[in-house]
Amino acid sequence: MFAGISIWQLLILLLVVVVIFGTKKLRTIGSDLGGAVKDFKKAMSEEEQTKDAQFKKIEEQQQAQKTETKDKEQA
């Protein structure tokens, strides 16, 4: 895939990007991208915690139902 691209071509491409956008703009884009990735990871973590909490609640409800049926059978 990258067999035809040498390190010199990549360096020239990087130089052109820096000249076009400037280092300040690239730094802003980098920090924005980093913040977006961080927020995405945080949202995924919160979603996972929510799913875990919902799963635990369902398990507790099922356990309570089992306990109720055992109590009814014993009575």
Side-chain angles (χ1 to χ4, degrees):
M1 185 170 162
F2 291 104
I5 298 176
S6 70
I7 189 72
W8 293 109
Q9 290 170 333
L10 289 174
L11 289 174
I12 291 171
L13 181 64
L14 178 64
L15 179 66
V16 170
V17 168
V18 169
V19 168
I20 290 173
F21 292 107
T23 56
K24 198 175 214 180
K25 182 72 170 177
L26 289 175
R27 189 174 341 155
T28 305
I29 291 171
S31 71
D32 289 344
L33 182 61
V37 169
K38 183 178 178 181
D39 289 343
F40 178 76
K41 286 182 179 180
K42 182 180 175 185
M44 292 301 291
S45 174
E46 288 174 356
E47 181 180 331
E48 196 66 33
Q49 289 174 355
T50 303
K51 284 182 180 179
D52 288 343
Q54 289 173 346
F55 183 71
K56 287 179 183 177
K57 185 177 180 180
I58 291 171
E59 282 183 334
E60 289 172 359
Q61 289 173 348
Q62 290 174 346
Q63 192 70 4
Q65 287 175 351
K66 287 180 184 178
T67 305
E68 286 178 11
T69 54
K70 283 184 181 180
D71 289 344
K72 286 180 183 179
E73 289 175 0
Q74 290 177 354

